[in-house]
Amino acid sequence: MRQLKSSRQPKVSKHPPGGFCPRFHRAVELIGRRWTGAIVRVLMGGPQRFNELLNTVPGLSDRLLSERLRELEGEGLVRREVDPGPPVCVSYHLTQSGSSLEPVIASLGSWAERWMRA
Amino acid sequence: MRQLKSSRQPKVSKHPPGGFCPRFHRAVELIGRRWTGAIVRVLMGGPQRFNELLNTVPGLSDRLLSERLRELEGEGLVRREVDPGPPVCVSYHLTQSGSSLEPVIASLGSWAERWMRA
DNA sequence: ACCAATAGCTTACCAAAAGTAAGCAAACTA
DNA sequence: TAGTTTGCTTACTTTTGGTAAGCTATTGGT
C-alpha cells in the first residue's frame, strides 16, 4: 500500500493539515531549538541586552545564548545593535519577521496555560 | 546591576510578554523537539498509523518516531490505539489537548508561509 | 509449503548538539 | 590599581539524535 498517493495531491490547498509542509517544518525546528522560544518571547517585551536575556531565562548559559542569537540573526528574526556609548552597549531586538511571531507565541502561551501541568 | 528586580514583578499580569513563562517554555520545548512539530501537524489530519507517519514525514526515522510518539503519549497529546483486527492495526490520534494545538499550528504555518524562505 | 514483504517496533552503536567551565579583552567602578 | 561587569570564545564532557540492524507477527506470491 503505497500511501494512496493518487487519491491525495489535492492541488487546491497548498498545505492541508495532515500533510507535511516544509516551511512549517523549518519554522518549528527553528523556534523549537533549545531556548530559542523562550528567547524570542522575552524579546517580545522590547530590546534586551545580552546579560538581561541571560538573567531573565533561568538555566540558559551564555554560550548557548550567544549561539541562539547568532542563529536568529542569521534567519533574520533578530537584529544586533551596538550603541557605541561610551560605554558600548549591545542590544538585541526583533525584526519585523520576529515581531510577527507574536500571535504564534500568544496562542501557544494560551494553550500552555490551559494544558501544561505547571 | 542585578536585573532591576524591584521595578519588575508587576503582579497584575501573570505572564507579560518580555518575561519568562515556565509553562510556555515547557510547551515550546516539547513541540519543538526534533520532528515533534511535524508529527503533530500530520496527526491534525486525522488518526495515522505508524508507517503512514513514517512515510509522510521525510527524513524521520522509525526509532525517533517511536520515541516522539511515546513522549507525546506521556504528555497526553496523543493516544495510541490498537485495533485487534486481525490483522492488528495500531493508530495514533490526537487527544483533546493535542487537537487544541490547531490554532497554534495554523498561525505558525501562516507565519512560515510569509517569512520562511522556501 | 516456502520465500519475500510489510507493520511496528527494539537494541546497539556512532555523530551531533547541548551543557559546563574557564578564559579574556575592553570598559567602568572604588 | 585592583576588582567588577559586559559580551563574548575556546575546550571538554554529557546528552540527544541518526544509522543500521534485528525481531516477531502477519500477508501475499509461487
Side-chain angles (χ1 to χ4, degrees):
Chain A
M1 187 235 281
R2 195 76 290 171
Q3 252 345 74
L4 304 173
K5 253 197 183 162
S6 51
S7 70
R8 285 166 195 272
Q9 305 288 24
K11 194 168 274 185
V12 286
S13 167
K14 271 179 301 206
H15 301 294
F20 177 77
C21 167
R23 289 197 212 211
F24 170 84
H25 190 232
R26 299 212 317 110
V28 76
E29 301 278 300
L30 171 66
I31 72 150
R33 301 196 66 178
R34 210 166 291 177
W35 305 109
T36 304
I39 292 165
V40 170
R41 197 190 128 104
V42 172
L43 286 173
M44 289 287 164
Q48 306 274 330
R49 301 203 323 226
F50 188 86
N51 282 295
E52 275 181 308
L53 285 164
L54 205 54
N55 292 324
T56 304
V57 181
L60 173 58
S61 73
D62 50 3
R63 194 189 79 97
L64 265 286
L65 176 56
S66 183
E67 200 167 304
R68 291 295 105 97
L69 286 171
R70 260 178 285 117
E71 287 168 8
L72 288 168
E73 227 192 319
E75 294 288 338
L77 306 208
V78 162
R79 193 163 50 206
R80 179 181 193 268
E81 201 172 300
V82 181
D83 172 11
V88 292
C89 176
V90 183
S91 66
Y92 295 88
H93 52 94
L94 297 175
T95 62
Q96 197 184 352
S97 77
S99 306
S100 54
L101 270 173
E102 212 206 312
V104 180
I105 303 289
S107 70
L108 182 54
S110 306
W111 182 89
E113 283 300 320
R114 171 78 181 78
W115 296 104
M116 286 310 265
R117 57 174 184 270
Chain B
M1 188 236 282
R2 194 78 287 173
Q3 248 353 70
L4 303 172
K5 254 198 183 165
S6 51
S7 70
R8 287 167 194 272
Q9 306 287 24
K11 194 167 274 183
V12 285
S13 167
K14 271 181 300 205
H15 299 296
F20 177 78
C21 167
R23 289 197 212 211
F24 171 84
H25 189 233
R26 297 213 317 111
V28 76
E29 301 277 301
L30 171 65
I31 72 150
R33 302 196 67 177
R34 209 167 290 178
W35 306 109
T36 303
I39 293 167
V40 170
R41 198 190 128 104
V42 172
L43 287 173
M44 289 287 164
Q48 307 274 330
R49 304 210 319 239
F50 189 86
N51 281 297
E52 274 180 309
L53 285 165
L54 205 55
N55 293 324
T56 304
V57 181
L60 174 58
S61 73
D62 50 3
R63 194 188 79 99
L64 265 286
L65 175 56
S66 183
E67 199 168 306
R68 289 296 105 96
L69 286 170
R70 262 179 283 115
E71 287 168 7
L72 288 168
E73 227 191 320
E75 294 288 338
L77 305 208
V78 162
R79 193 163 50 206
R80 180 182 193 268
E81 199 171 300
V82 182
D83 172 13
V88 291
C89 176
V90 183
S91 66
Y92 294 90
H93 51 94
L94 296 175
T95 61
Q96 197 184 352
S97 77
S99 307
S100 54
L101 270 174
E102 211 205 315
V104 180
I105 303 288
S107 70
L108 181 54
S110 307
W111 182 88
E113 284 300 320
R114 172 76 181 80
W115 295 104
M116 285 311 265
R117 57 175 185 268

